[in-house]
Amino acid sequence: MQNKPENITPQSDAQANERKQRIDPSIGDKINQLRLSKGFSQRKLAKLAGLTNTAISSIERNKVSPAVNTLAAILEVLGSDLNTFFSEDWGQTKAQVVVSPQDLVELNDTKNGVSLKQVYNFAPTRNLGFLIETYQPNSSTEEKITHEGEEIGTVIEGKILININKKSYLLNEGDSYVIDTSQPHTFINPTSKVTRIVSAHTPATY
């Protein structure tokens, strides 16, 4: 007697949603930690991995789960691989309370005269990012930077010119700014002296 073939039905929406819910929520946290340990900004990682900045941000915030080939490409840039990434001893560092100057993470290519050092303590549940910024005379960030979120900062030394879309704002020492970072913006030190800024941004990824 011939066996009857098994009934195979397409995966239901409920089953698909259940599968998505089983995605390891720590994937984004791990990528974020590996990225910062390399001193990469989201923009730099995205460029090296052939992705968009928005894609990296969404992955790090666990809004989307990357495809295996996408994750492999990201890990290759970060000097890791899938086996190590999903192992129990993948190298996670415990959160710190005190972050010393030598532990600050440089997120910018200082060749353009701009230093963006992030105060990073390896906590996977960070909701706020904090930068210590230094602008050498007549230096500037990349043109028209965009990233998700809001940024607040204070000029603690010198002057800074902020271009947002088609408007420019000149801030002196002691002035503060609040900007929507999804709007294209550029920071410029138009003077012959060093400018220093401290800034906070949310979400914490940058």
Side-chain angles (χ1 to χ4, degrees):
M1 183 177 177
Q2 193 173 18
N3 291 332
K4 292 183 179 180
E6 292 180 0
N7 255 339
I8 301 177
T9 57
Q11 187 183 49
S12 68
D13 290 342
Q15 288 173 318
N17 288 336
E18 182 182 356
R19 185 168 178 269
K20 286 181 181 179
Q21 289 172 0
R22 292 199 300 265
I23 293 171
D24 184 353
S26 68
I27 287 177
D29 299 331
K30 288 181 177 180
I31 291 174
N32 176 255
Q33 186 172 123
L34 286 171
R35 174 176 66 81
L36 289 176
S37 69
K38 286 285 186 180
F40 288 175
S41 65
Q42 285 185 341
R43 292 188 299 280
K44 183 172 182 178
L45 175 57
K47 183 178 180 180
L48 293 175
L51 301 169
T52 65
N53 185 44
T54 301
I56 296 297
S57 176
S58 297
I59 291 169
E60 288 193 357
R61 298 180 67 195
N62 294 309
K63 285 188 172 183
V64 299
S65 179
V68 173
N69 59 335
T70 300
L71 179 57
I74 292 171
L75 294 178
E76 183 177 359
V77 171
L78 297 176
S80 186
D81 55 59
L82 292 170
N83 288 334
T84 303
F85 187 76
F86 287 108
S87 67
E88 292 183 0
D89 56 346
W90 71 282
Q92 184 173 16
T93 304
K94 291 184 179 180
Q96 302 169 217
V97 174
V98 177
V99 180
S100 59
Q102 61 266 28
D103 291 331
L104 297 174
V105 179
E106 177 60 65
L107 295 180
N108 198 59
D109 183 354
T110 55
K111 290 180 181 179
N112 66 351
V114 179
S115 171
L116 304 177
K117 292 187 175 180
Q118 186 165 66
V119 180
Y120 177 55
N121 73 333
F122 297 96
T125 56
R126 293 177 309 124
N127 295 311
L128 183 68
F130 188 83
L131 292 176
I132 299 173
E133 310 178 26
T134 304
Y135 296 79
Q136 296 300 322
N138 302 303
S139 64
S140 69
T141 59
E142 301 170 40
E143 289 189 5
K144 299 180 180 179
I145 295 173
T146 60
H147 54 94
E148 185 180 10
E150 181 181 49
E151 180 176 324
I152 297 175
T154 299
V155 180
I156 59 175
E157 181 182 341
K159 297 183 178 183
I160 199 74
L161 181 68
I162 305 177
N163 291 338
I164 305 175
N165 287 327
K166 295 181 180 180
K167 292 185 177 181
S168 297
Y169 305 87
L170 180 62
L171 283 74
N172 297 302
E173 184 176 320
D175 289 338
S176 299
Y177 64 87
V178 181
I179 62 173
D180 174 0
T181 52
S182 66
Q183 301 298 313
H185 56 280
T186 306
F187 284 67
I188 303 167
N189 177 3
T191 74
S192 59
K193 297 182 179 180
V194 172
T195 295
R196 303 183 197 279
I197 297 174
V198 291
S199 66
H201 58 274
T202 183
T205 54
Y206 182 90

